[in-house]
């Protein structure tokens, strides 16, 4: 069974189910507990339902939040830590990169750190240069870590539950601009989406748009606009950035023979560079045109209305597809 829900409601539903499913699960972060329930109200009602000992307010210290989560995980707990604004995740970089992600390796497989770090991306909110960055590319460099970035309510619920009960650390990214996005959400307990599996959100024959997170919605809008001009784009939503589902990506591009990679992270050195490289190495002889990347400009993000000048928009994807598509019948 399913119902219409927002991504905010889907994440809340996943957290509620996780807390009901296992006594080892607990949440920690800034202002998570009721009545505040976080700045985005994602955890509303969970402290009242499950107790303030399982939905914990913390000091304003990302290092303490993630450090406490890592320590608790070593004692058999399943912590879900929230970084209220992803721009501040650098303060917890040592805990994530040099502790949580390394414990399995450093202990020869005897110890893992099954933490989930929920990181909220405010890009698109006009919040300025230190509150608006999409930094997933940083963490794609880290063996031992998984990176997830869903775009729909069903994906958010299924992937968050998979993340919480995964034996290794997971960075679960949430775009604040998508919290109000509505779509079908399974309501039964036990719904999961496997980490590391992409999803074809739209079928097409002429070109593949590889994307994830909020850019998925712009890619779908672009695909509809392009369809009116006779270009049928396939949209592949990666959903997970680490590990990458290259099998699904390559199968799509092998069919269309053209690809654009779109994301809200900075284009230079961004996740699209890795995806484009993998496509080119695997399908060099099949590609009609080189793979093109579109994303944010290499610039600090300005506040308010000026933000749109440097971030990804639907028009950027349309322009990139037209550049690559050329004569679509070739």
């Amino acid at each position: 069974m399913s119902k219409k829900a927002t991504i905010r409601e889907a994440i809340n539903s996943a957290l509620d189910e996780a807390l009901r499913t296992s006594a080892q699960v607990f949440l920690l972060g800034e202002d998570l507990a009721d009545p505040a329930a976080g700045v985005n109200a994602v955890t509303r009602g969970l402290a009242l339902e499950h107790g303030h000992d399982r939905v914990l307010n913390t000091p304003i210290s990302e290092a303490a939040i993630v450090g406490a989560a890592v320590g608790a995980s070593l004692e058999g707990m399943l912590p879900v830590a929230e970084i209220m604004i992803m721009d501040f995740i650098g303060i917890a970089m040592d805990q994530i990169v040099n502790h949580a992600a390394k414990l399995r390796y450093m202990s020869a497989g005897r110890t893992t750190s099954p933490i989930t770090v929920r990181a909220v991306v405010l890009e698109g909110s006009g919040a300025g240069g230190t509150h608006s960055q999409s930094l997933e590319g940083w963490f794609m460099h880290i063996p031992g870590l998984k990176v997830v970035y869903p775009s729909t309510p069903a994906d958010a619920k299924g992937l968050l539950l998979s993340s919480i009960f995964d034996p290794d650390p997971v960075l679960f990214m949430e775009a604040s601009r998508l919290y109000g996005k509505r779509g079908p959400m399974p309501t039964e307990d036990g719904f999961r989406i496997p980490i590391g599996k992409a999803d074809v959100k739209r079928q097409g024959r002429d070109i593949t748009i590889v994307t994830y997170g909020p850019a998925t919605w712009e890619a779908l809008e672009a695909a509809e606009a392009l369809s009116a001009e006779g270009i049928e784009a396939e949209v592949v939503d990666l959903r997970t950035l680490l590990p990458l589902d290259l099998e699904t990506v390559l199968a799509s591009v092998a069919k269309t023979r053209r690809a654009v990679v779109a994301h809200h992270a900075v284009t230079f050195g961004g996740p699209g560079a890795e995806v484009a490289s993998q496509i080119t190495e695997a399908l060099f002889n099949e590609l009609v045109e080189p793979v093109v990347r579109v994303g944010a400009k290499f610039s600090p993000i300005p506040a308010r209305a000026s933000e749109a000048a440097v971030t990804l928009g639907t028009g950027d994807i349309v322009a990139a597809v037209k550049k690559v598509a050329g004569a679509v019948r070739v």
Side-chain angles (χ1 to χ4, degrees):
M1 295 179 60
S2 67
K3 68 175 184 179
K4 290 282 188 178
T6 64
I7 287 184
R8 178 186 286 107
E9 292 165 342
I11 294 171
N12 182 282
S13 177
L15 294 171
D16 177 58
E17 180 179 331
L19 288 163
R20 286 188 284 106
T21 299
S22 172
Q24 278 68 53
V25 175
F26 72 97
L27 318 182
L28 69 164
E30 299 164 17
D31 298 323
L32 286 192
D34 298 298
V39 296
N40 295 297
V42 172
T43 51
R44 179 169 292 158
L46 296 180
L48 294 175
E49 177 69 23
H50 300 284
H52 284 72
D53 58 331
R54 299 187 67 198
V55 182
L56 305 175
N57 287 335
T58 67
I60 303 174
S61 171
E62 289 75 15
I65 293 167
V66 180
V70 173
S73 74
L74 296 177
E75 291 297 318
M77 303 300 286
L78 298 172
V80 182
E82 180 184 284
I83 302 297
M84 182 187 291
I85 302 171
M86 191 181 190
D87 302 62
F88 304 142
I89 202 167
I91 301 168
M93 193 68 99
D94 186 53
Q95 287 79 5
I96 296 170
V97 172
N98 288 326
H99 295 276
K102 299 294 191 296
L103 276 165
R104 181 186 287 276
Y105 176 79
M106 299 296 286
S107 68
R110 292 188 293 271
T111 301
T112 64
S113 183
I115 68 170
T116 303
V117 179
R118 294 177 45 239
V120 182
V121 179
L122 297 187
E123 184 265 345
S125 67
T130 61
H131 290 70
S132 302
Q133 298 168 96
S134 194
L135 300 171
E136 58 271 22
W138 287 3
F139 297 93
M140 289 178 69
H141 291 270
I142 309 304
L145 187 65
K146 296 172 182 175
V147 181
V148 173
Y149 204 166
S151 65
T152 68
D155 290 350
K157 181 175 182 179
L159 283 164
L160 181 53
L161 283 163
S162 293
S163 299
I164 292 170
F165 294 104
D166 193 272
D168 291 300
V170 179
L171 175 65
F172 185 91
M173 296 181 59
E174 303 169 15
S176 66
R177 63 159 64 193
L178 294 187
Y179 278 143
K181 282 288 187 183
R182 186 172 294 274
M185 180 197 75
T187 55
E188 70 276 10
D189 283 357
F191 172 70
R192 302 285 190 277
I193 291 176
I195 292 173
K197 184 63 178 173
D199 183 42
V200 178
K201 290 289 196 287
R202 185 186 193 276
Q203 297 287 337
R205 65 173 184 267
D206 297 321
I207 190 166
T208 299
I209 304 172
V210 184
T211 187
Y212 60 88
T216 302
W217 293 91
E218 281 108 342
L220 291 169
E221 290 173 1
E224 291 303 310
L226 290 159
S227 180
E229 301 184 31
I231 301 172
E232 293 298 336
E234 185 150 294
V235 177
V236 177
D237 181 359
L238 292 171
R239 302 195 294 193
T240 302
L241 296 171
L242 194 64
L244 276 173
D245 180 6
L246 290 172
E247 182 179 354
T248 297
V249 172
L250 295 178
S252 176
V253 180
K255 176 180 71 174
T256 66
R257 302 168 65 202
R258 300 170 177 86
V260 166
V261 188
H263 52 61
H264 281 267
V266 171
T267 305
F268 181 83
E274 180 62 30
V275 175
S277 176
Q278 294 278 357
I279 293 170
T280 302
E281 289 180 15
L283 299 173
F284 181 80
N285 292 324
E286 283 77 23
L287 291 172
V288 175
E289 295 287 342
V291 181
V292 169
R293 298 172 291 137
V294 285
K297 294 180 174 61
F298 193 69
S299 165
I301 298 177
R304 306 300 179 186
S306 300
E307 183 177 17
V310 302
T311 55
L312 179 75
T314 300
D316 299 315
I317 302 175
V318 170
V321 168
K322 288 182 176 180
K323 176 181 177 181
V324 177
V328 297
R329 299 290 179 256
V330 173

